[in-house]
Every structure is written in C-alpha cells, then in structure tokens.
Amino acid sequence: MTVKRLLLYVMLIPITISLGCDNKDNGTESVQNGETKKAESDVTDGKIQPCEETFQEIGDRVLREANEIIQQSEQYKAALKILKEVKSGKRQWTVQIKWVEYAEISPDEFLAFEQCDTVLDPELAHSLHPDMFPDDLDGSSEVIIPWKENRIHWKGVDVPISLRVYQDTLYMIGFDRETDRQNWRFRFYRQEENEFREIVPDEYPKSIATQNLWFSDIHKNININGVILAINLNPKASWFDDSLTAMIWCQLMTGKEYHEISLDRDAIRKICEEYIAEYKPIKLTKIIYEQESGDTKGFNDKLKQKMEEAKATQERIEKKVAEYKAGKRNLFVHGKEKVEYAEIRPREFLAFKSIKLLPDSDLATGLPKGLFKGWNGKFEIVILWKGNEIHWEVIGGLKSLRVHDDTLYAIILDPENDERFKFRLRYYKQVGNQFKEIKPDEYPKTIATQNLRFTKWQIEGGTVDVEINMDTDSFQFPRSLTAT
C-alpha cells in the first residue's frame, strides 16, 4: 500500500451529510405551546411519505456524524505519520516480545524456557489498513530451553504450540506462520542434543501429540476454554473438533496437511475417537503454570471452577443423548410461536399456529450433525379443520395453504440439502389429520397460488397485489412464486 493510496482513502471520506428526510421537498415543522412536533409529511412523486425526525433529532445526528468524520480524519493523520516513520526507517514493522514460558511437558511437570517472538507492531496493526503491509512480512519465534545437560536453541517461522517429553527426549510441534491461511500446516520436531530437528509426522510419538502452548494472545489473555479442551481430550465436547489438538490427530491419522483437512464435525469426532482408542494420549493436568503474581495468578482456582462447569455440562449432554436414544426426548424444542392467517378461499380466512422448532443445543453437541438437517427452517404447523387437529412438521417455508373440495392443500418452498439456491417446491394434500406429499400433477391447478409468507419488500413492492389480481402482464409476475 503506497502513501498515494492512503491519501486516496482520506479523500474518500464522506463529506455529504443528509439533512432531514431523504426527500426533495421536506414537510414543515410546527411549534405549539413550546413543543416541537414532527413534520407531518414529505411529498415525493405524488406520494406522501412520513418524516420521522424532529429538528432536534436532525441536529443531534448532524453533530454526531460530523464528530465521526473528525475522528476518522484524526485517525488518518495518525496513520500517515506512522507510515512516514516506517518509510524513513525510524520505525520497524515488527517488534520483539520476550518472556519466560512454561510448558507442562508431562503430567504435573513444568519446564521453564525463554521465548522471543517477532510480531507485527500492535500499534501498526491497529492503525493501518492490512493492504499497507509488505507481502513478505513474516513473524518468527525463538526459544532457548534448558534440558538435562543441554541448552536447546531453536528459531523458526512456526508458532510453538506443543512442547512435551517422551523417553527423556523433547518433542515440539509448530503451527505454520510462513504460508497464507489457505495453506496452513503443522511441522514436527525432535530434540537432538542442543537443537530441534524437523521430522516427518509418522516419527512423532502419538501419545504426546497434544496442544499445550499458545493459549494466550499478545495481551496475555488466556483462552481457558481451549485449555480445558486440551486437558480433557474429549472428542464429544463442544468445539473440540475446532481445536488444534483435533487437527493434529486428523493429520497423524489421515496423512493430510492441516489445510487439506476438509471434514465435517462428525467425521473429525470419529477420527479423534479412533486416535484415542489406538494411541491412548497422555493427558496433562493444568497446562498453564500458575505464578504468585502476574497474569496467571489464581489461574488454578479459575481452572478448577471451569473444569467443574465443563464436567456438569458434559454430564447433562450425555444424559439427554441417552434419553433421546431411549425415545424419551425430542431433537427439537419449541421456539417462537405465532398465529397466521391464510385466505383459503375468496374472503375466507383460516387461522393456524406456526411454531419455530429449534434444535436442543445439548443434543446438537452430542449427536451427529446430520440428524439436524434443515433445522434452520423447521416449523410445526397446527391447524384445526373440519374436526381434525393437524400437527405437521415442515422444513422450509409454507407458501400456500388453500382448500379444494373441502380438502386442504399446501405448497412448501423447501431448501433441499440445507443449501441456499437449491430450493424446490413440494406439494401436499390433507388426509385426515395429516398432510401427505403428492406429485405436482395431482395438485389442483385452480388453487396453485402463493398466499402466505410474503417478505416486507414483496409487500411494499406490490407483489401481493400482483398475486391477487393474477396480473400476468405485470413485470413482477414472472418473478413471483406463483409463476414459478
């Protein structure tokens, strides 16, 4: 990103402030008895539009927007100053951060070592646009580890995410900093005297291949939930499939790099369960070393509390899963309920209940994802008709409910395979107290129109009028659901 480009960003600051309503002829403002009233209307293209702001509200908004522009200008000035300092060599793109790190190399055994990371200057990261940074700007890590009679020195572009011991030899896993996000990978190392040598994944001891480092950010904020996942090593726990430990196991089991693993949650869980059964990973106990002062003070108490909460949550999930498998619990729970009205015949409306069905969050964690297919558009429809109480679970949008020869018919817009833009229409006929799917050819053609679930823009845009009048000459009709 050049300085000229930065100046272009400055020039593009919006300088036009909308005063009042977005119409050419503003309505008048009246003051009576010391009170300011809202202008009654604006007239645009012969249509009356309500004006929703008083002069006081307009003034407040103008001041607020002006202050935002001033603040943005100050930020751009600061960015220009920083960029100038970097270009002149007075300031570097990166800074070095040094600290003493602790790794739980085996249960209850911590090893202290020095770490120095070269990272992007946090102030630059906050002040400048990402496009302004050089493409070849990479961070690095350097560690100095005292071990037995050796002093191990390693420097590389990886982020150390695991340092553990196996048969008196240290092993390390690095998370790739070198490539872009689409090509991330893990790298594996083994100690050889006073250095780390890169090894192929198959040579890494499978029982210690877990994350035990890099749980805090540059501000030393600890991801305690990530720590708990790395301690418990439970593939069924929420978010375990997103953990680095799960990804390491997938690579060691499948031979694929991190960026090549494109598996869903259920597949990752299965691989991790197989990994545990085969290699029996050695669990750690704390991962974070608690010091008497600083960021980790009191961490063990927090960890104990969070571990108890995680245990209670897992027990609740397992109990619900057992109840579901025994047929005592449903996958879905009732969400928002509302009453809708369908004009089933001219001037004859039928009221019915529409209940949004949501997946039980615990079951959604503990059971295969495939069981919840279509959950984002799942409803229970309750209809009273001719002495029948119909309970109907549908996936998709109920777009038509009409009657023909005293029998109800319905049309559903169904998002097939949970994928957007793969919608299809499905047709149903009432049989007693339920709906049965029928072929399109069996649907009465005289009632095949949309009469439910119009969006706001369809209502405001006149689509409802087009549906009522069957105005095939309207430019909107070919885009209507009825035409489809």
Side-chain angles (χ1 to χ4, degrees):
M1 173 68 78
T2 63
V3 176
K4 288 183 179 179
R5 201 167 188 183
L6 177 61
L7 289 173
L8 179 61
Y9 275 100
V10 178
M11 293 168 62
L12 290 176
I13 298 175
I15 59 175
T16 303
I17 302 174
S18 174
L19 298 176
C21 301
D22 297 328
N23 297 310
K24 294 180 180 179
D25 300 314
N26 290 330
T28 59
E29 186 82 11
S30 62
V31 180
Q32 296 180 1
N33 300 325
E35 296 182 358
T36 301
K37 293 186 176 181
K38 294 181 180 179
E40 292 184 358
S41 66
D42 289 344
V43 180
T44 305
D45 297 330
K47 294 182 180 180
I48 297 177
Q49 303 291 339
C51 180
E52 298 178 351
E53 288 185 295
T54 65
F55 281 148
Q56 181 65 44
E57 291 170 338
I58 293 171
D60 291 343
R61 177 167 56 81
V62 169
L63 287 175
R64 185 170 60 253
E65 293 177 358
N67 285 331
E68 289 175 357
I69 291 175
I70 292 171
Q71 185 178 2
Q72 289 175 358
S73 299
E74 293 299 323
Q75 290 173 349
Y76 286 123
K77 288 179 183 178
L80 281 172
K81 181 180 178 182
I82 292 172
L83 194 60
K84 186 176 180 181
E85 291 175 352
V86 173
K87 294 291 185 182
S88 65
K90 295 180 180 179
R91 187 168 187 163
Q92 301 299 316
W93 288 107
T94 58
V95 295
Q96 287 190 334
I97 302 174
K98 299 180 180 180
W99 74 98
V100 175
E101 183 64 276
Y102 294 84
E104 189 179 13
I105 57 175
S106 63
D108 292 320
E109 180 184 359
F110 281 87
L111 175 64
F113 62 94
E114 299 174 34
Q115 182 164 341
C116 177
D117 278 9
T118 300
V119 298
L120 181 65
D121 186 329
E123 186 178 356
L124 297 184
H126 176 74
S127 303
L128 302 181
H129 191 278
D131 289 346
M132 297 179 183
F133 300 108
D135 293 334
D136 58 350
L137 189 63
D138 292 321
S140 65
S141 291
E142 183 177 6
V143 296
I144 299 175
I145 306 172
W147 177 248
K148 303 299 182 183
E149 298 177 355
N150 296 297
R151 187 174 174 84
I152 305 167
H153 182 239
W154 174 87
K155 184 176 182 179
V157 295
D158 306 337
V159 180
I161 62 171
S162 179
L163 179 65
R164 296 194 60 172
V165 64
Y166 182 77
Q167 295 179 352
D168 278 343
T169 299
L170 290 179
Y171 288 82
M172 186 175 77
I173 302 175
F175 187 58
D176 187 19
R177 254 203 205 104
E178 188 175 16
T179 57
D180 57 36
R181 186 184 182 95
Q182 285 72 33
N183 295 296
W184 276 346
R185 62 193 180 112
F186 297 113
R187 300 176 75 171
F188 300 84
Y189 300 88
R190 178 176 58 218
Q191 172 215 351
E192 292 185 6
E193 295 183 352
N194 62 347
E195 62 181 355
F196 278 113
R197 295 279 188 180
E198 187 168 1
I199 59 177
V200 296
D202 286 344
E203 296 178 20
Y204 200 90
K206 308 302 186 292
S207 61
I208 61 166
T210 66
Q211 181 186 5
N212 67 341
L213 294 171
W214 204 38
F215 286 105
S216 57
D217 59 21
I218 195 170
H219 304 294
K220 301 302 180 182
N221 298 311
I222 299 172
N223 176 10
I224 192 168
N225 291 324
V227 172
I228 292 172
L229 290 174
I231 290 175
N232 289 337
L233 301 181
N234 181 2
K236 293 181 179 180
S238 300
W239 306 113
F240 184 81
D241 52 292
D242 284 333
S243 69
L244 289 179
T245 296
M247 292 297 101
I248 292 169
W249 291 356
C250 284
Q251 176 167 350
L252 295 177
M253 289 289 281
T254 65
K256 294 182 178 180
E257 296 278 8
Y258 178 95
H259 68 272
E260 297 174 326
I261 299 170
S262 57
L263 304 171
D264 62 24
R265 184 187 70 186
D266 299 336
I268 292 174
R269 279 186 178 179
K270 184 179 179 182
I271 290 173
C272 291
E273 288 171 351
E274 292 172 353
Y275 186 97
I276 290 174
E278 185 171 350
Y279 298 114
K280 298 176 174 53
I282 300 170
K283 291 185 177 182
L284 300 175
T285 59
K286 299 182 180 69
I287 290 183
I288 302 297
Y289 180 75
E290 180 178 341
Q291 297 172 278
E292 294 182 358
S293 62
D295 302 307
T296 60
K297 183 180 180 181
F299 179 78
N300 286 344
D301 290 337
K302 295 178 184 176
L303 180 63
K304 183 179 179 181
Q305 179 185 348
K306 289 290 186 180
M307 291 280 282
E308 290 174 353
E309 292 175 1
K311 181 181 178 182
T313 298
Q314 193 59 38
E315 289 175 350
R316 184 181 70 244
I317 291 172
E318 290 174 0
K319 181 181 178 182
K320 284 189 175 182
V321 168
E323 290 173 348
Y324 164 75
K325 291 180 176 178
K328 298 178 180 179
R329 183 175 288 274
N330 293 323
L331 288 175
F332 294 85
V333 295
H334 282 184
K336 187 176 180 180
E337 177 181 317
K338 64 179 180 180
V339 176
E340 296 189 58
Y341 297 86
E343 189 178 15
I344 56 174
R345 279 190 285 241
R347 298 182 181 84
E348 181 182 350
F349 283 85
L350 176 66
F352 62 94
K353 280 198 294 188
S354 172
I355 306 166
K356 176 76 172 177
L357 296 178
L358 302 172
D360 184 300
S361 58
D362 289 334
L363 291 179
T365 299
L367 291 170
K369 189 178 179 181
L371 290 173
F372 297 90
K373 180 181 180 296
W375 72 266
N376 197 36
K378 195 175 182 71
F379 296 86
E380 181 179 357
I381 306 297
V382 182
I383 305 172
L384 293 176
W385 177 251
K386 303 293 184 182
N388 294 301
E389 182 172 327
I390 304 168
H391 288 261
W392 183 30
E393 285 193 6
V394 300
I395 296 176
L398 178 60
K399 294 296 185 177
S400 179
L401 181 64
R402 298 195 61 175
V403 67
H404 179 75
D405 292 339
D406 279 343
T407 299
L408 293 176
Y409 289 82
I411 301 176
I412 298 292
L413 184 62
D414 176 27
E416 187 178 9
N417 298 323
D418 289 347
E419 292 185 38
R420 196 176 179 186
F421 306 125
K422 284 195 174 181
F423 298 142
R424 60 172 178 160
L425 294 170
R426 303 179 69 169
Y427 302 84
Y428 294 84
K429 176 183 179 180
Q430 173 217 351
V431 180
N433 62 350
Q434 57 185 323
F435 277 95
K436 296 281 190 180
E437 187 169 4
I438 58 176
K439 296 178 180 179
D441 288 345
E442 300 175 41
Y443 200 90
K445 308 303 184 289
T446 56
I447 60 168
T449 64
Q450 180 183 2
N451 67 341
L452 285 170
R453 306 280 174 86
F454 292 97
T455 62
K456 181 179 179 181
W457 70 265
Q458 285 178 319
I459 296 172
E460 293 177 348
T463 302
V464 176
D465 294 333
V466 172
E467 294 280 2
I468 291 174
N469 297 323
M470 294 296 158
D471 186 4
T472 56
D473 293 329
S474 168
F475 75 95
Q476 292 176 314
F477 189 80
R479 297 182 296 173
S480 68
L481 195 63
T482 296
T484 303

